Amino acid sequence: MSSAFVKSRLKAARDALGKKQYETARDAASQVLDYEPDNYNAHVFLGLAYLELGHHDKSEQFYRRAIGLKPDQVLAWQGMSRLYEKQEKWDAVAGAQEEALRIFSASGDATKAAETLQKLIETRRQHGSRKQIITVLSYLLPDSPFYDALSTLPPPDHTNPNSTTTFATQEAIHESLPVMEEIMTLTEQEEETFMKVEFDKRRTRLGAPPPDILRNEIGLEVWRTSKLPLVYQEVLNHPKTSDELRRSVEARMIRYKQQIFHALPLSDPDKNTVGIQLAELVNGIVAIGVRNQLAWSIFLEGLDKETVYECGLDLLRRYMQVFPDTNLAQLLRSYFMYMGIPNDENIDEEADETPNVAPKPVSTDGDPLNAIMDAFGSQQDSILATRVVAEVYLQESDYLSVIHVAESGLELVKKHERNTGRKLGNVRKAFNVALATALVHSYPPKHHQRARQLLDDVLKRDPDHVDALLAYGYILQRAEKWEEAKGVFSKATTRLPPDIPKYVRAREECAWCLSRIRIAEGVKALKDVLKDLEEEEFTLDRARCLWRIGMACWDLGGSFREEAYANFIRSLRCDPEYAPSYTSLGVYYSEFAVPPDPTRASKCFQKAFELNPTEVEAARRLADGFANEREWDLVEVVARRTIEGEGVLDLGIGEEGGVVAGRYLPANAWAWKALGVVELSRGNYAQSIEALQIALRADEEDQVCWLRLGEAYSKAGRYAAALKALVRAKELNPDDWLCTYLIGEVQRQTGKFGEALDSYNSVLQKQSDEIGVLMSLALTELALARQEWSSGFFARAERTFASTITTCLSTVQASSGYGSIAWKVIGDALLGLSQATTFVDQELIRDVFVKITSVVQHATSKRIAHVFTLSPIRGGLPLTGSYALQAAVASYDYRITVGSTDDTVMGSALYDLGLALHTWSKEEKAADRESASEVAASLLKEALYKDPDDPTYWTALAITYFLDRPKISQHAYVKALELDPKASSINNTVAWTQLGLLYLYYNDVALAYEALSKAHILDPDCSVAWVGLALVTARKGDDDHAHALLEHAVGLSPFAPAATMEFAARLFPPMPPQGKARLPPREELLPAFAALNLYVKQRQDDPRALHLLGLICERHGGLEQGAEWIFRAITLLEIAYEETEDSLIERQFTIAHTNLARLKVGLRDYTGALESFEIALGLLPERVAADRECEPGIALLRVQVLFGSGLAHFKLGDFQSAMTRFQAALDATVDNHILRCHVTVFLARCMWAIGTDELRESAKALLLDSITVDPEDLMSISTLAGMGILTEDDSLVDAALSEIQSLPIERRQELDPCGDVTYLLIQHHLGLADIGQAIRMAQKVLHIEPSNLRIRRDLASLTLKQGNSATTQAILAVESAVRSLEEAKETLALACIADDGREGRALSYAQKAIMLDPGNVQNWKTLAYVRTRNGGL
């Protein structure tokens, strides 16, 4: 029953599938599996049902179960193919189809197998790779496992291809050649693609080999396993292969063999085998004349023959016949025409021999040489073509081209030997001989060393090589080794047949060498040679031989020189373009003719030089003649052509790729020297240096050449090299004053002004009338004076400026030609002197001014006469910088009078005058200042008309309009920057700086910052730019950064007025109010003191600087010096106030008197202090209006004056007046609590000092009232405690101390940064004999403020009193590496006492303390104590 049931269910499933009832089929098949789980058909039906229902996973599951049950049944595989096709899994589809193909093939069902294979091929064609297509196509070939079944198919019926479903397979089986061709093509494409992809992938790796090696490596990976050789062989062996296909496949096989042959390394054993196979293929093709260009190319390139003739002319004719249209055939055909070789391929074998005809017959078909060159353009990788071209160039005597082509040919030979492993010795020798021959004749003897190396190698292998012997003979001939050269040429003649031109040339050279040894015999031998040169084709050779006969006769001298002249003439008749004969004729006309005929000689030399620039003798004589006539342009032309004739420009020749002029030893040093001098005169310094260096290589003792080289170096800005060259020139000729002068110029340019002055003075000792040296001396003195002034050596600068003026006046007296520049230098020197307020050496300066005024006093021009007049010198008054400025204006004006009218010179003079007049105008009164400023601007405009492209003039014009016309000023600055784009120029920096200050002056901070930043980037040493940046930064509120910028500006130059004043003013802080931060250490003010001290030495008329310097001296404890500076400031302010009556100057005068009075109090000059206080008090208003902005400052100043006056009265013992002043000050301090506390305390002290009980009680009450108002008034509290201690009023002391101790210690430190209260508390505990409590108090304070040196010193003193020296030393930390200078000053003296003397450090501590602070008396006492304790050491 179960069997029937299964059959019925299977039938039902099959019917349902046929009706596309897939669910019914699924159910029926599933029922079958319930009874027979291994039923194959049920699994197949379920797979198909699920496939149609879209359940692909289940479908694949059942198909695979079916395959597992019966793998040799095809239904399941066909279903799997359909499943994968729907899923587009094409590799799986192909796999299933291959399994079906295997089953059909095994069962012998050829039709089904063919149909399946067709589907498989189609699948791979549409969705497979090239490699997969090749695989499935190979199933159609005889070695396929399916071929036996497929071969049973009948032959295809081409008349009815649709009669069967397997026509394609039938056709492929019975006609396999197309399949093989397709496999061959696909395989080639696959390998080519793989190699390209791999190359692109590997070439970017680190350490990748060069491209050629990488391609070979990848190629070997492919070619070693490639099946292409078998495919090629099968195609070739196929009976139906056509001749055309056979040739194509053979070409492919040759290319394949060549690739693998070249890629295999030389050590690989397969390389020889592959080479033999390739040679057999190539030789066979060439032998039967098959048209395969690659094979012919391989064959011809591999011929190891020394000459083209030896390659076989018939072979070359056959190539031209087989490939008539190729470029190589065209090249060979043209070569045959050029050499006169018949192109007829039927010529007999005798044509293979070298024809004894002229090398270049006339062609009727065009120029064969041009045809050869045209064809060679695409054949430069061919050894044969390169050999042909090298030979042709050698025939043409184009030696440079021979060198390039021969070197290229040697590279091709090297590459061929590397690829094939086979040596081309004869070919290499041919190229070497051609290269050596060209090197011998190319600019001899430039390349003779290299040529000799090549020839030595050739002659070592082939001693009888004629061309090598001839080239070697020429080298010996050039070296004047006549005997050796004669032997070489004689040997060559024995190796040559006597009927060729080369034999005659060898005899001629041999005879020429003999004439250099034995003249008479040589002449006879040359005449014998001349007999063989009678034919018309030897015109050049005959001319050369006649010239040589003439030269030999010339050497014989006497009457033979007329014979020489006749031979020179005959030579030119043979060849009118033979240059050496013209040279010899020129020598004859200039030296031997009677009378000498320089005109004809010059014409002969010119003709010789025109024909051949290597005629050095003609060139040198020609250049000498042009130089005598001062025709420098023609001298340059001759020198350059002579240099070109040396071959300097033949780049690309040489072992390292070219001859560089810097490595070249010249044959004609005179030409290089002349060229260097010409280039120097034209300002081409680099070219001049190069030419002179090359000239020196030929003669290192040429003093003039060293001198000019040094001059060129100097003008090019290479001063170190210039100095070395000039020193060498001076060593060669110590008496050359020009060399000393140029050394001085270099020293001046490098800033060594002292050494430059010594050099100039040494020249003037020998050449006192050299005006140029005097002017250089003056310019150097001017530069030295400016340097001394900027360095702060003002007295030296003053003397040097005076010396500059004296030198210029001497120059003017000696020669009027230097008047303009001399008066400019005088004006510049006077302008430098105008920076000083007074002069150190009045007599020297007066003498100089008298000399100047004697010339310019009454020479004021109309340009400035209405606004300027030079004042006369007054005998009783000291001279100042103002008069120097007047003299500078007059000197610049006088310069215009005596100077040139040239626009450039006039523009410079007007610029100097305008700028000086503008500077002078700033010192005049308002009306005169405006007029003078307008004239200065007009002068600068006139200068701009003369030279509108000078940016300096625009900058000067902008300065004159800085205050009055800001828009014009800005435009002028911008114009100056446009005209001077060089960022490194000084004017560029000045323009950016001034433009930034202009923006800052008119409150455009952003633009000011950009301009000043640009300026300081261009020139980091420009102090004005740094000052401007500091002002901008301060305007932005960043005072710390501004201070750092100013400090840097002051450090750039020891004398920078703007930077100095601003820096000192910002570094000097105002007195801090009580309860705020303490004053900075004295050391921080030292830079400001140093800068201001230098500043006031030259700006003694600046009351602001004097006043500030006095205050700084006060901070440093120099009260006397400070009082002196402030008194001088008061004197200047008083004079200024009398002239202007300016309220601001009055305020400054009052403040100065207040400060002077305070310093006099410190100096105990109380009477003088009262005088100053009274003056200040008299200038201050008694009542202050609250609505005036400046009144708060006046009120504070009045309180200070009253307070100081009271203090002075107090010190003089006038307590009543003191109390009056203090009370007045107290009444005026209603709004200033801190100042009120100070006045209250001093009023209380004054009342206490009077001594009456009533006033003392009143003093206590006054202090108590102040404490009531401000419980944190520590000054009043500490004063009250002091009064209690003096009166032994314990209750008062306790009350005061309780107020102090009630404050937190941190708050106490904040209110009392100087530690006065702490000191009082410590002293109080010590008074109570409670030293322990005093120590604890000090420890608490030190814990809060560890950096407080005073507390540390007090604590150390207390521990020392206890006898604890170790603790004292630990607190002082004398040996600490991080101790500051201030800390060392404060603690070393105490450390001396704390040292017990056992380690011997006390004495060194005491000495170090004195070294750090020698003005401290306590340190000297400490040293005395230590020495006494140590036993008087």
Side-chain angles (χ1 to χ4, degrees):
M1 175 181 176
S2 61
S3 176
F5 176 76
V6 168
K7 290 181 180 180
S8 64
R9 292 292 88 198
L10 286 174
K11 183 177 181 303
R14 184 167 50 252
D15 294 340
L17 289 172
K19 297 177 181 179
K20 298 184 179 181
Q21 298 175 356
Y22 301 114
E23 293 182 355
T24 304
R26 177 195 61 192
D27 296 338
S30 297
Q31 293 174 1
V32 172
L33 291 181
D34 290 339
Y35 286 92
E36 291 185 11
D38 294 335
N39 191 290
Y40 176 83
N41 291 326
H43 281 89
V44 173
F45 291 162
L46 275 174
L48 180 58
Y50 279 122
L51 172 62
E52 298 297 340
L53 290 173
H55 300 161
H56 296 162
D57 293 340
K58 288 186 177 181
S59 174
E60 183 178 6
Q61 178 182 358
F62 281 104
Y63 277 137
R64 291 200 175 278
R65 287 181 183 176
I67 291 170
L69 293 173
K70 293 182 179 181
D72 294 332
Q73 291 291 325
V74 76
L75 289 177
W77 286 109
Q78 290 176 333
M80 288 284 283
S81 176
R82 291 183 59 196
L83 170 64
Y84 290 140
E85 191 173 350
K86 279 195 173 184
Q87 294 179 330
E88 296 185 353
K89 297 180 179 180
W90 303 111
D91 288 340
V93 170
Q97 290 173 344
E98 284 190 18
E99 289 296 329
L101 174 62
R102 178 185 58 81
I103 295 171
F104 286 133
S105 177
S107 64
D109 191 344
T111 301
K112 292 293 185 180
E115 292 174 350
T116 305
L117 180 56
Q118 289 175 175
K119 293 179 181 179
L120 175 60
I121 292 173
E122 186 63 25
T123 300
R124 286 306 189 189
R125 286 189 187 278
Q126 293 182 1
H127 305 290
S129 64
R130 193 182 290 114
K131 197 171 185 178
Q132 291 170 336
I133 297 172
I134 294 171
T135 301
V136 297
L137 287 175
S138 65
Y139 293 161
L140 296 170
L141 299 179
D143 57 351
S144 165
F146 314 120
Y147 188 78
D148 292 340
L150 296 173
S151 62
T152 61
L153 291 171
D157 183 4
H158 292 283
T159 60
N160 188 14
N162 296 326
S163 62
T164 177
T165 58
T166 60
F167 179 81
T169 305
Q170 291 173 258
E171 189 176 33
I173 290 295
H174 292 281
E175 297 177 11
S176 60
L177 184 59
V179 177
M180 291 181 182
E181 289 186 58
E182 184 176 5
I183 292 175
M184 179 177 64
T185 303
L186 291 174
T187 304
E188 289 175 342
Q189 294 174 355
E190 175 65 18
E191 291 182 358
E192 183 179 351
T193 302
F194 173 80
M195 287 190 289
K196 184 178 183 305
V197 172
E198 280 297 304
F199 177 79
D200 293 339
K201 183 167 61 176
R202 297 186 192 182
R203 64 191 293 266
T204 58
R205 294 178 182 174
L206 291 176
D212 291 344
I213 297 177
L214 181 59
R215 287 190 180 93
N216 288 338
E217 290 178 356
I218 299 171
L220 286 176
E221 294 176 10
V222 174
W223 297 325
R224 287 182 186 275
T225 59
S226 175
K227 295 181 179 180
L228 270 178
L230 296 177
V231 176
Y232 289 147
Q233 199 61 46
E234 289 179 1
V235 174
L236 291 174
N237 294 336
H238 199 280
K240 294 186 178 182
T241 301
S242 64
D243 291 340
E244 182 179 356
L245 177 59
R246 189 178 303 278
R247 302 294 174 249
S248 174
V249 174
E250 285 176 348
R252 293 181 180 185
M253 181 176 287
I254 290 174
R255 184 180 67 250
Y256 172 83
K257 292 289 185 182
Q258 184 194 38
Q259 288 175 342
I260 192 171
F261 180 51
H262 288 177
L264 286 169
L266 297 177
S267 58
D268 195 311
D270 293 337
K271 189 175 185 71
N272 187 47
T273 304
V274 176
I276 293 173
Q277 295 173 358
L278 178 62
E280 291 177 352
L281 288 171
V282 169
N283 292 338
I285 288 176
V286 173
I288 61 177
V290 175
R291 186 180 170 84
N292 187 322
Q293 190 170 355
L294 177 60
W296 278 87
S297 175
I298 294 172
F299 183 83
L300 293 176
E301 296 295 297
L303 292 175
D304 186 19
K305 303 297 182 181
E306 186 173 349
T307 65
V308 177
Y309 290 104
E310 293 178 6
C311 293
L313 298 182
D314 281 345
L315 177 66
L316 300 180
R317 292 190 186 100
R318 286 176 58 204
Y319 177 84
M320 289 185 283
Q321 182 181 12
V322 174
F323 304 101
D325 298 329
T326 61
N327 289 323
L328 181 59
Q330 177 63 29
L331 184 144
L332 292 173
R333 193 176 297 111
S334 301
Y335 171 73
F336 277 35
M337 293 174 62
Y338 179 85
M339 300 301 294
I341 304 172
N343 282 327
D344 187 4
E345 65 274 13
N346 296 321
I347 195 168
D348 56 13
E349 293 182 358
E350 293 182 357
D352 289 352
E353 298 179 2
T354 304
N356 297 326
V357 294
K360 184 180 179 183
V362 179
S363 174
T364 59
D365 298 330
D367 188 358
L369 179 61
N370 291 337
I372 291 173
M373 296 303 108
D374 293 340
F376 183 63
S378 59
Q379 294 294 313
Q380 297 187 13
D381 292 335
S382 169
I383 297 177
L384 178 61
T386 305
R387 293 170 64 186
V388 168
V389 172
E391 184 176 343
V392 170
Y393 276 135
L394 204 56
Q395 290 285 344
E396 291 290 321
S397 299
D398 188 352
Y399 298 117
L400 289 179
S401 298
V402 173
I403 292 170
H404 288 294
V405 172
E407 287 179 339
S408 175
L410 288 171
E411 288 297 321
L412 293 175
V413 170
K414 182 179 178 181
K415 180 180 179 181
H416 184 276
E417 292 176 347
R418 184 176 61 249
N419 289 336
T420 64
R422 298 171 182 174
K423 298 295 182 180
L424 297 179
N426 291 325
V427 177
R428 180 181 291 274
K429 180 171 66 173
F431 278 128
N432 280 331
V433 171
L435 177 59
T437 302
L439 290 172
V440 167
H441 296 290
S442 177
Y443 306 111
K446 185 176 181 180
H447 307 296
H448 281 187
Q449 183 178 1
R450 184 184 173 199
R452 187 161 186 167
Q453 294 174 354
L454 295 171
L455 292 172
D456 286 341
D457 182 64
V458 172
L459 292 174
K460 183 178 179 181
R461 302 173 186 273
D462 186 2
D464 296 331
H465 197 288
V466 174
D467 291 335
L469 286 171
L470 291 175
Y472 196 75
Y474 289 129
I475 293 176
L476 295 174
Q477 194 180 75
R478 182 71 184 196
E480 297 185 356
K481 297 179 180 180
W482 304 109
E483 194 67 47
E484 296 180 34
K486 176 179 172 297
V488 172
F489 284 123
S490 297
K491 184 178 180 180
T493 58
T494 61
R495 303 296 187 273
L496 287 169
D499 56 345
I500 64 173
K502 195 177 293 185
Y503 169 78
V504 180
R505 181 62 186 273
R507 283 182 56 210
E508 180 187 348
E509 298 299 335
C510 183
W512 173 243
C513 293
L514 180 61
S515 71
R516 300 296 89 194
I517 304 170
R518 295 182 292 278
I519 301 177
E521 295 180 16
V523 171
K524 181 179 179 181
L526 286 170
K527 289 181 178 180
D528 291 340
V529 173
L530 185 63
K531 296 176 181 177
D532 295 333
L533 298 174
E534 296 296 336
E535 297 182 16
E536 186 177 351
E537 61 185 88
F538 296 116
T539 54
L540 175 60
D541 298 322
R542 184 173 179 79
R544 181 179 60 249
C545 188
L546 285 169
W547 173 78
R548 286 177 169 178
I549 294 172
M551 289 300 297
C553 293
W554 183 273
D555 292 339
L556 288 173
S559 60
F560 288 98
R561 295 202 170 178
E562 290 298 336
E563 184 180 350
Y565 170 74
N567 282 291
F568 296 151
I569 296 296
R570 290 176 62 196
S571 172
L572 289 176
R573 287 173 180 170
C574 290
D575 188 355
E577 295 184 356
Y578 189 66
S581 295
Y582 284 107
T583 303
S584 299
L585 275 179
V587 174
Y588 172 82
Y589 287 132
S590 62
E591 295 182 359
F592 190 76
V594 179
D597 192 346
T599 302
R600 296 180 72 179
S602 177
K603 290 180 179 180
C604 288
F605 291 140
Q606 289 186 40
K607 184 64 174 179
F609 191 63
E610 288 174 5
L611 292 172
N612 188 355
T614 61
E615 285 298 309
V616 178
E617 182 66 21
R620 186 182 63 79
R621 290 174 180 264
L622 201 58
D624 289 342
F626 289 145
N628 293 333
E629 297 172 4
R630 309 192 70 80
E631 295 286 349
W632 301 113
D633 290 340
L634 296 177
V635 172
E636 181 193 6
V637 171
V638 173
R640 286 193 179 278
R641 284 205 65 195
T642 303
I643 291 169
E644 292 173 3
E646 292 183 6
V648 177
L649 304 180
D650 59 333
L651 297 178
I653 304 174
E655 296 177 359
E656 298 181 5
V659 174
V660 181
R663 304 176 188 171
Y664 177 57
L665 182 63
N668 303 294
W670 64 268
W672 289 99
K673 183 177 176 181
L675 182 61
V677 173
V678 172
E679 294 291 1
L680 177 62
S681 65
R682 293 179 176 176
N684 301 325
Y685 304 121
Q687 294 88 333
S688 175
I689 290 169
E690 182 181 4
L692 292 170
Q693 284 177 335
I694 295 172
L696 281 171
R697 290 192 178 95
D699 184 7
E700 295 183 358
E701 304 298 321
D702 189 338
Q703 190 266 346
V704 175
C705 201
W706 280 109
L707 181 68
R708 295 306 178 192
L709 179 62
E711 184 180 358
Y713 274 133
S714 173
K715 293 181 178 180
R718 299 168 62 178
Y719 301 115
L723 197 58
K724 291 180 181 179
L726 292 171
V727 168
R728 176 59 179 160
K730 190 172 180 62
E731 291 175 355
L732 295 172
N733 186 4
D735 297 330
D736 188 355
W737 67 266
L738 182 59
C739 183
T740 306
Y741 169 73
L742 291 176
I743 290 175
E745 287 290 293
V746 174
Q747 291 167 338
R748 179 169 69 88
Q749 294 292 338
T750 54
K752 299 177 181 179
F753 302 120
E755 299 177 14
L757 290 176
D758 294 338
S759 298
Y760 294 140
N761 287 324
S762 66
V763 173
L764 291 173
Q765 290 176 0
K766 301 177 182 179
Q767 303 286 333
S768 58
D769 57 344
E770 285 294 334
I771 306 301
V773 180
L774 278 172
M775 281 312 307
S776 295
L777 178 64
L779 291 171
T780 306
E781 288 176 333
L782 177 63
L784 176 61
R786 288 171 172 172
Q787 184 187 69
E788 290 171 342
W789 184 272
S790 64
S791 301
F793 300 106
F794 305 116
R796 296 184 193 174
E798 182 181 305
R799 291 191 295 271
T800 310
F801 277 129
S803 177
T804 303
I805 296 172
T806 302
T807 303
C808 288
L809 291 174
S810 301
T811 305
V812 173
Q813 292 174 0
S815 174
S816 60
Y818 286 84
S820 178
I821 186 172
W823 281 104
K824 171 177 172 51
V825 176
I826 291 172
D828 291 344
L830 290 170
L831 207 58
L833 285 172
S834 69
Q835 300 175 83
T837 53
T838 60
F839 299 113
V840 177
D841 193 341
Q842 285 283 335
E843 294 183 3
L844 175 64
I845 301 300
R846 185 179 298 276
D847 181 59
V848 170
F849 283 1
V850 168
K851 293 179 181 179
I852 294 173
T853 53
S854 65
V855 179
V856 303
Q857 179 74 54
H858 304 293
T860 306
S861 67
K862 295 180 180 180
R863 289 184 178 87
I864 61 173
H866 61 290
V867 294
F868 172 82
T869 303
L870 179 62
S871 303
I873 299 176
R874 299 180 181 178
L877 296 177
L879 294 171
T880 64
S882 298
Y883 192 82
L885 182 57
Q886 288 187 46
V889 174
S891 298
Y892 287 135
D893 183 47
Y894 188 72
R895 175 197 175 191
I896 298 177
T897 303
V898 301
S900 171
T901 58
D902 179 74
D903 285 348
T904 302
V905 177
M906 182 62 72
S908 173
L910 291 169
Y911 160 75
D912 289 333
L913 178 59
L915 199 57
L917 187 62
H918 172 72
T919 305
W920 173 79
S921 69
K922 293 189 291 186
E923 299 184 358
E924 294 301 300
K925 297 180 180 179
D928 295 338
R929 181 187 304 121
E930 184 176 353
S931 300
S933 181
E934 290 178 357
V935 173
S938 66
L939 289 170
L940 290 171
K941 290 178 181 178
E942 189 176 351
L944 282 171
Y945 290 141
K946 300 291 184 182
D947 188 1
D949 294 330
D950 193 324
T952 310
Y953 300 170
W954 286 101
T955 303
L957 183 65
I959 292 173
T960 60
Y961 285 141
F962 190 97
L963 297 176
D964 302 328
R965 301 178 182 179
K967 291 184 179 180
I968 298 179
S969 179
Q970 180 189 18
H971 170 75
Y973 282 132
V974 173
K975 185 68 175 178
L977 293 172
E978 290 177 355
L979 292 173
D980 188 14
K982 294 182 179 179
S984 59
S985 68
I986 296 176
N987 183 74
N988 200 294
T989 304
V990 172
W992 279 112
T993 304
Q994 294 287 343
L995 183 60
L997 295 176
L998 177 70
Y999 288 139
L1000 181 62
Y1001 184 81
Y1002 290 99
N1003 297 320
D1004 195 335
V1005 178
L1007 287 177
Y1009 179 78
E1010 291 183 11
L1012 291 167
S1013 298
K1014 180 70 173 178
H1016 104 272
I1017 290 172
L1018 296 178
D1019 184 8
D1021 294 333
C1022 181
S1023 59
V1024 180
W1026 288 96
V1027 174
L1029 279 175
L1031 296 175
V1032 172
T1033 307
R1035 189 78 65 88
K1036 293 180 179 180
D1038 191 354
D1039 292 333
D1040 293 337
H1041 190 200
H1043 173 79
L1045 293 172
L1046 286 169
E1047 185 175 11
H1048 182 76
V1050 173
L1052 289 175
S1053 173
F1055 185 65
T1060 299
M1061 280 303 303
E1062 193 67 27
F1063 174 67
R1066 290 184 178 275
L1067 192 61
F1068 182 80
M1071 292 291 291
Q1074 182 70 15
K1076 303 299 180 182
R1078 63 169 61 89
L1079 291 174
R1082 295 178 179 178
E1083 287 77 6
E1084 293 186 7
L1085 294 176
L1086 284 176
F1089 173 78
L1092 269 181
N1093 191 40
L1094 182 62
Y1095 176 81
V1096 297
K1097 287 181 180 179
Q1098 290 303 314
R1099 298 292 177 89
Q1100 300 179 16
D1101 56 348
D1102 190 343
R1104 181 168 173 255
L1106 293 168
H1107 194 172
L1108 184 57
L1109 181 59
L1111 295 177
I1112 293 176
C1113 290
E1114 179 190 12
R1115 292 284 177 89
H1116 277 279
L1119 301 182
E1120 293 183 3
Q1121 189 178 8
E1124 180 183 351
W1125 291 119
I1126 294 177
F1127 179 76
R1128 291 172 60 181
I1130 289 173
T1131 303
L1132 293 172
L1133 289 170
E1134 186 175 5
I1135 295 173
Y1137 181 74
E1138 289 176 356
E1139 293 180 355
T1140 62
E1141 296 184 357
D1142 190 349
S1143 60
L1144 179 60
I1145 296 177
E1146 180 185 3
R1147 171 71 63 81
Q1148 294 173 351
F1149 181 77
T1150 304
I1151 295 173
H1153 264 295
T1154 304
N1155 289 329
L1156 177 62
R1158 184 179 66 254
L1159 265 67
K1160 288 183 176 181
V1161 170
L1163 292 170
R1164 299 182 181 181
D1165 182 8
Y1166 304 118
T1167 302
L1170 277 175
E1171 292 178 2
S1172 293
F1173 278 133
E1174 292 300 329
I1175 293 173
L1177 193 61
L1179 295 173
L1180 292 172
E1182 294 186 4
R1183 293 187 172 274
V1184 179
D1187 57 346
R1188 292 169 57 187
E1189 294 181 359
C1190 60
E1191 295 312 329
I1194 295 178
L1196 180 60
L1197 181 61
R1198 181 176 179 81
V1199 171
Q1200 291 179 358
V1201 171
L1202 290 170
F1203 178 77
S1205 177
L1207 184 60
H1209 282 294
F1210 180 80
K1211 292 295 183 179
L1212 288 172
D1214 188 357
F1215 300 120
Q1216 189 64 42
S1217 298
M1219 289 180 60
T1220 302
R1221 294 294 189 187
F1222 284 139
Q1223 187 61 51
L1226 190 63
D1227 295 339
T1229 56
V1230 178
D1231 298 329
N1232 194 321
H1233 171 68
I1234 295 175
L1235 192 57
R1236 183 177 181 82
C1237 292
H1238 280 271
V1239 176
T1240 299
V1241 169
F1242 272 93
L1243 178 59
R1245 289 180 180 179
C1246 184
M1247 295 168 67
W1248 182 272
I1250 294 176
T1252 63
D1253 294 339
E1254 180 181 1
L1255 287 177
R1256 289 188 173 184
E1257 291 299 325
S1258 298
K1260 293 178 183 179
L1262 185 64
L1263 290 173
L1264 288 171
D1265 291 341
S1266 178
I1267 295 170
T1268 301
V1269 175
D1270 183 9
E1272 294 184 350
D1273 184 2
L1274 294 184
M1275 181 179 287
S1276 299
I1277 294 173
S1278 60
T1279 304
L1280 189 62
M1283 292 179 178
I1285 292 173
L1286 292 175
T1287 58
E1288 298 182 355
D1289 187 348
D1290 294 338
S1291 61
L1292 183 61
V1293 174
D1294 292 340
L1297 293 179
S1298 63
E1299 289 288 340
I1300 293 174
Q1301 293 175 346
S1302 64
L1303 292 173
I1305 192 167
E1306 293 85 357
R1307 179 60 176 165
R1308 192 193 311 161
Q1309 291 299 115
E1310 181 182 353
L1311 296 173
D1312 183 30
C1314 295
D1316 296 333
V1317 175
T1318 301
Y1319 174 78
L1320 179 63
L1321 291 174
I1322 291 175
Q1323 295 302 318
H1324 172 68
H1325 291 305
L1326 290 176
L1328 297 176
D1330 189 356
I1331 191 171
Q1333 185 61 31
I1335 290 174
R1336 285 190 290 274
M1337 173 61 67
Q1339 286 175 338
K1340 288 181 181 178
V1341 176
L1342 187 62
H1343 178 71
I1344 294 174
E1345 192 176 2
S1347 61
N1348 193 320
L1349 293 178
R1350 178 178 174 182
I1351 297 300
R1352 182 183 297 180
R1353 186 182 58 194
D1354 292 343
L1355 179 59
S1357 299
L1358 293 174
T1359 57
L1360 186 61
K1361 288 179 180 179
Q1362 283 187 325
N1364 194 346
S1365 300
T1367 303
T1368 302
Q1369 293 178 3
I1371 293 172
L1372 295 177
V1374 178
E1375 300 298 329
S1376 173
V1378 295
R1379 286 162 50 83
S1380 65
L1381 183 63
E1382 185 68 23
E1383 187 175 353
K1385 286 183 180 180
E1386 295 289 338
T1387 59
L1388 276 173
L1390 189 58
C1392 298
I1393 302 174
D1395 187 76
D1396 55 10
R1398 286 178 291 184
E1399 298 185 9
R1401 292 179 296 186
L1403 183 61
S1404 66
Y1405 290 163
Q1407 292 172 340
K1408 188 174 182 180
I1410 292 175
M1411 181 186 69
L1412 293 176
D1413 193 1
N1416 192 333
V1417 179
Q1418 187 63 37
N1419 291 339
W1420 290 98
K1421 291 181 178 179
T1422 303
L1423 177 61
Y1425 166 75
V1426 171
R1427 287 186 170 177
T1428 303
R1429 188 181 66 182
N1430 293 345
L1433 297 176

